[in-house]
PDB file of all heavy atoms in Angstrom:
ATOM      1  N   VAL A 344      26.416  10.889  44.162  1.00 97.00           N
ATOM      2  CA  VAL A 344      25.815  11.887  45.042  1.00 97.00           C
ATOM      3  C   VAL A 344      25.643  13.184  44.261  1.00 97.00           C
ATOM      4  O   VAL A 344      26.544  13.615  43.531  1.00 97.00           O
ATOM      5  CB  VAL A 344      26.686  12.128  46.292  1.00 97.00           C
ATOM      6  CG1 VAL A 344      26.164  13.318  47.092  1.00 97.00           C
ATOM      7  CG2 VAL A 344      26.702  10.887  47.169  1.00 97.00           C
ATOM      8  N   SER A 345      24.488  13.810  44.401  1.00 96.00           N
ATOM      9  CA  SER A 345      24.168  15.039  43.670  1.00 96.00           C
ATOM     10  C   SER A 345      25.073  16.192  44.097  1.00 96.00           C
ATOM     11  O   SER A 345      25.227  16.477  45.288  1.00 96.00           O
ATOM     12  CB  SER A 345      22.704  15.411  43.919  1.00 96.00           C
ATOM     13  OG  SER A 345      22.446  16.745  43.541  1.00 96.00           O
ATOM     14  N   VAL A 346      25.650  16.874  43.120  1.00 95.00           N
ATOM     15  CA  VAL A 346      26.424  18.089  43.379  1.00 95.00           C
ATOM     16  C   VAL A 346      25.482  19.260  43.644  1.00 95.00           C
ATOM     17  O   VAL A 346      25.739  20.112  44.494  1.00 95.00           O
ATOM     18  CB  VAL A 346      27.353  18.406  42.184  1.00 95.00           C
ATOM     19  CG1 VAL A 346      28.024  19.768  42.346  1.00 95.00           C
ATOM     20  CG2 VAL A 346      28.396  17.297  42.012  1.00 95.00           C
ATOM     21  N   GLY A 347      24.371  19.296  42.926  1.00 93.00           N
ATOM     22  CA  GLY A 347      23.431  20.409  43.054  1.00 93.00           C
ATOM     23  C   GLY A 347      22.874  20.565  44.453  1.00 93.00           C
ATOM     24  O   GLY A 347      22.637  21.692  44.908  1.00 93.00           O
ATOM     25  N   HIS A 348      22.675  19.461  45.172  1.00 91.00           N
ATOM     26  CA  HIS A 348      22.162  19.557  46.535  1.00 91.00           C
ATOM     27  C   HIS A 348      23.207  20.151  47.476  1.00 91.00           C
ATOM     28  O   HIS A 348      22.862  20.708  48.515  1.00 91.00           O
ATOM     29  CB  HIS A 348      21.716  18.184  47.036  1.00 91.00           C
ATOM     30  CG  HIS A 348      20.406  17.736  46.453  1.00 91.00           C
ATOM     31  ND1 HIS A 348      20.304  17.194  45.183  1.00 91.00           N
ATOM     32  CD2 HIS A 348      19.142  17.776  46.941  1.00 91.00           C
ATOM     33  CE1 HIS A 348      19.039  16.911  44.927  1.00 91.00           C
ATOM     34  NE2 HIS A 348      18.313  17.253  45.971  1.00 91.00           N
ATOM     35  N   GLN A 349      24.485  20.025  47.129  1.00 89.00           N
ATOM     36  CA  GLN A 349      25.534  20.641  47.939  1.00 89.00           C
ATOM     37  C   GLN A 349      25.747  22.097  47.543  1.00 89.00           C
ATOM     38  O   GLN A 349      26.075  22.935  48.389  1.00 89.00           O
ATOM     39  CB  GLN A 349      26.845  19.868  47.764  1.00 89.00           C
ATOM     40  CG  GLN A 349      26.754  18.406  48.166  1.00 89.00           C
ATOM     41  CD  GLN A 349      27.966  17.617  47.715  1.00 89.00           C
ATOM     42  OE1 GLN A 349      29.099  17.993  47.959  1.00 89.00           O
ATOM     43  NE2 GLN A 349      27.731  16.510  47.032  1.00 89.00           N
ATOM     44  N   GLN A 350      25.559  22.398  46.265  1.00 89.00           N
ATOM     45  CA  GLN A 350      25.793  23.751  45.765  1.00 89.00           C
ATOM     46  C   GLN A 350      24.534  24.616  45.773  1.00 89.00           C
ATOM     47  O   GLN A 350      24.565  25.755  45.317  1.00 89.00           O
ATOM     48  CB  GLN A 350      26.349  23.681  44.329  1.00 89.00           C
ATOM     49  CG  GLN A 350      27.761  23.161  44.243  1.00 89.00           C
ATOM     50  CD  GLN A 350      28.769  24.087  44.893  1.00 89.00           C
ATOM     51  OE1 GLN A 350      28.565  25.290  44.984  1.00 89.00           O
ATOM     52  NE2 GLN A 350      29.879  23.523  45.358  1.00 89.00           N
ATOM     53  N   MET A 351      23.432  24.072  46.242  1.00 87.00           N
ATOM     54  CA  MET A 351      22.174  24.822  46.310  1.00 87.00           C
ATOM     55  C   MET A 351      21.722  25.295  44.930  1.00 87.00           C
ATOM     56  O   MET A 351      21.332  26.433  44.731  1.00 87.00           O
ATOM     57  CB  MET A 351      22.299  26.033  47.241  1.00 87.00           C
ATOM     58  CG  MET A 351      22.558  25.683  48.693  1.00 87.00           C
ATOM     59  SD  MET A 351      21.243  24.688  49.425  1.00 87.00           S
ATOM     60  CE  MET A 351      21.891  23.036  49.177  1.00 87.00           C
ATOM     61  N   MET A 352      21.778  24.352  43.974  1.00 91.00           N
ATOM     62  CA  MET A 352      21.286  24.664  42.632  1.00 91.00           C
ATOM     63  C   MET A 352      20.881  23.348  41.981  1.00 91.00           C
ATOM     64  O   MET A 352      21.683  22.709  41.316  1.00 91.00           O
ATOM     65  CB  MET A 352      22.373  25.366  41.804  1.00 91.00           C
ATOM     66  CG  MET A 352      21.814  26.378  40.812  1.00 91.00           C
ATOM     67  SD  MET A 352      20.792  25.711  39.476  1.00 91.00           S
ATOM     68  CE  MET A 352      22.047  25.290  38.274  1.00 91.00           C
ATOM     69  N   THR A 353      19.645  22.944  42.216  1.00 93.00           N
ATOM     70  CA  THR A 353      19.184  21.662  41.706  1.00 93.00           C
ATOM     71  C   THR A 353      18.489  21.784  40.348  1.00 93.00           C
ATOM     72  O   THR A 353      18.003  20.795  39.820  1.00 93.00           O
ATOM     73  CB  THR A 353      18.232  20.987  42.710  1.00 93.00           C
ATOM     74  OG1 THR A 353      17.138  21.866  42.984  1.00 93.00           O
ATOM     75  CG2 THR A 353      18.960  20.665  44.000  1.00 93.00           C
ATOM     76  N   ASP A 354      18.431  23.008  39.799  1.00 94.00           N
ATOM     77  CA  ASP A 354      17.859  23.183  38.465  1.00 94.00           C
ATOM     78  C   ASP A 354      18.760  22.541  37.418  1.00 94.00           C
ATOM     79  O   ASP A 354      19.962  22.341  37.632  1.00 94.00           O
ATOM     80  CB  ASP A 354      17.713  24.672  38.123  1.00 94.00           C
ATOM     81  CG  ASP A 354      16.655  25.363  38.959  1.00 94.00           C
ATOM     82  OD1 ASP A 354      15.876  24.661  39.625  1.00 94.00           O
ATOM     83  OD2 ASP A 354      16.630  26.606  38.959  1.00 94.00           O
ATOM     84  N   ALA A 355      18.175  22.260  36.259  1.00 97.00           N
ATOM     85  CA  ALA A 355      18.964  21.734  35.150  1.00 97.00           C
ATOM     86  C   ALA A 355      19.947  22.796  34.665  1.00 97.00           C
ATOM     87  O   ALA A 355      19.647  23.993  34.667  1.00 97.00           O
ATOM     88  CB  ALA A 355      18.052  21.306  34.005  1.00 97.00           C
ATOM     89  N   MET A 356      21.132  22.353  34.264  1.00 97.00           N
ATOM     90  CA  MET A 356      22.155  23.238  33.716  1.00 97.00           C
ATOM     91  C   MET A 356      22.291  22.968  32.222  1.00 97.00           C
ATOM     92  O   MET A 356      22.121  21.843  31.763  1.00 97.00           O
ATOM     93  CB  MET A 356      23.499  22.983  34.399  1.00 97.00           C
ATOM     94  CG  MET A 356      23.492  23.280  35.889  1.00 97.00           C
ATOM     95  SD  MET A 356      25.006  22.708  36.726  1.00 97.00           S
ATOM     96  CE  MET A 356      26.235  23.801  36.022  1.00 97.00           C
ATOM     97  N   LYS A 357      22.622  24.012  31.476  1.00 98.00           N
ATOM     98  CA  LYS A 357      22.860  23.849  30.044  1.00 98.00           C
ATOM     99  C   LYS A 357      24.245  23.248  29.821  1.00 98.00           C
ATOM    100  O   LYS A 357      25.113  23.328  30.697  1.00 98.00           O
ATOM    101  CB  LYS A 357      22.713  25.196  29.339  1.00 98.00           C
ATOM    102  CG  LYS A 357      21.302  25.777  29.435  1.00 98.00           C
ATOM    103  CD  LYS A 357      21.186  27.066  28.634  1.00 98.00           C
ATOM    104  CE  LYS A 357      19.758  27.618  28.690  1.00 98.00           C
ATOM    105  NZ  LYS A 357      19.437  28.226  29.987  1.00 98.00           N
ATOM    106  N   PRO A 358      24.477  22.646  28.649  1.00 98.00           N
ATOM    107  CA  PRO A 358      25.738  21.926  28.416  1.00 98.00           C
ATOM    108  C   PRO A 358      26.997  22.743  28.674  1.00 98.00           C
ATOM    109  O   PRO A 358      27.969  22.221  29.228  1.00 98.00           O
ATOM    110  CB  PRO A 358      25.629  21.501  26.948  1.00 98.00           C
ATOM    111  CG  PRO A 358      24.159  21.329  26.727  1.00 98.00           C
ATOM    112  CD  PRO A 358      23.514  22.427  27.542  1.00 98.00           C
ATOM    113  N   LEU A 359      27.022  24.023  28.289  1.00 98.00           N
ATOM    114  CA  LEU A 359      28.217  24.822  28.540  1.00 98.00           C
ATOM    115  C   LEU A 359      28.448  24.981  30.035  1.00 98.00           C
ATOM    116  O   LEU A 359      29.588  24.906  30.517  1.00 98.00           O
ATOM    117  CB  LEU A 359      28.102  26.194  27.865  1.00 98.00           C
ATOM    118  CG  LEU A 359      29.346  27.079  27.975  1.00 98.00           C
ATOM    119  CD1 LEU A 359      30.548  26.429  27.303  1.00 98.00           C
ATOM    120  CD2 LEU A 359      29.089  28.467  27.376  1.00 98.00           C
ATOM    121  N   GLY A 360      27.359  25.194  30.782  1.00 97.00           N
ATOM    122  CA  GLY A 360      27.481  25.326  32.230  1.00 97.00           C
ATOM    123  C   GLY A 360      27.992  24.048  32.874  1.00 97.00           C
ATOM    124  O   GLY A 360      28.863  24.090  33.760  1.00 97.00           O
ATOM    125  N   LEU A 361      27.468  22.913  32.436  1.00 97.00           N
ATOM    126  CA  LEU A 361      27.930  21.631  32.975  1.00 97.00           C
ATOM    127  C   LEU A 361      29.410  21.432  32.713  1.00 97.00           C
ATOM    128  O   LEU A 361      30.185  21.090  33.618  1.00 97.00           O
ATOM    129  CB  LEU A 361      27.147  20.476  32.335  1.00 97.00           C
ATOM    130  CG  LEU A 361      25.758  20.158  32.879  1.00 97.00           C
ATOM    131  CD1 LEU A 361      25.093  19.120  31.998  1.00 97.00           C
ATOM    132  CD2 LEU A 361      25.849  19.631  34.298  1.00 97.00           C
ATOM    133  N   SER A 362      29.821  21.629  31.463  1.00 98.00           N
ATOM    134  CA  SER A 362      31.205  21.325  31.109  1.00 98.00           C
ATOM    135  C   SER A 362      32.180  22.295  31.773  1.00 98.00           C
ATOM    136  O   SER A 362      33.279  21.903  32.175  1.00 98.00           O
ATOM    137  CB  SER A 362      31.384  21.339  29.590  1.00 98.00           C
ATOM    138  OG  SER A 362      31.156  22.627  29.048  1.00 98.00           O
TER     139      SER A 362
END
Side-chain angles (χ1 to χ4, degrees):
V344 171
S345 164
V346 172
H348 284 80
Q349 301 168 51
Q350 289 294 333
M351 296 299 94
M352 213 295 274
T353 57
D354 291 347
M356 297 170 68
K357 297 184 178 74
L359 184 62
L361 279 173
S362 64

